[in-house]
Amino acid sequence: MTYMNDKASPKQLLNSLPLYATVERQVFDGQDLASLRPQQLWFVRCSFVGVDLRHSALDGCSFKLCDLSMAHLRGASLRGVSMAGCNLRAADLRDTDLTAARFSSVNTGTPPHGLTDVTDAKFDNAITRDMKFKQVIGIPSRFI
């Protein structure tokens, strides 16, 4: 990502990126990004392990091969988000709006690599209208 510099916080930088900007190979582990409001960014191979994204508006964002394990997304708006080949193990997705969200895989050529994993993710009280799962590991039985 060519937009990041050391003068602003990661939250300020992400909020200032233009529509559809690509963020690649950035590590946000453990950061406080609560109430983030980016403009439909494309995240590729980024790490958000244990990050605080509560009440963020990530509508239309795309995550490809990203690690969101143990991420705190409670109350976030994830309308139309795309998660392809992502790790969402033990992520907190309670009270999120997942309307039209897509969870899918990425063809890495070596199965089972490239599958999205939602094992132990919490979906309590989430809005799941038109949510789609395709080649995903750990889907809760209520979505099958």
Side-chain angles (χ1 to χ4, degrees), residues 28 31-32 37 41 44 48 54 85 90 101 141:
F28 301 100
Q31 298 265 346
D32 178 2
R37 304 253 183 284
L41 300 180
V44 180
F48 296 91
R54 290 173 296 151
S141 60

Side-chain angles (χ1 to χ4, degrees), residues 14-36:
L14 290 172
N15 281 333
S16 70
L17 292 177
L19 187 66
Y20 306 127
T22 300
V23 181
E24 293 185 74
R25 299 183 185 272
Q26 296 296 310
V27 177
F28 301 100
D29 296 352
Q31 298 265 346
D32 178 2
L33 300 177
S35 300
L36 184 69

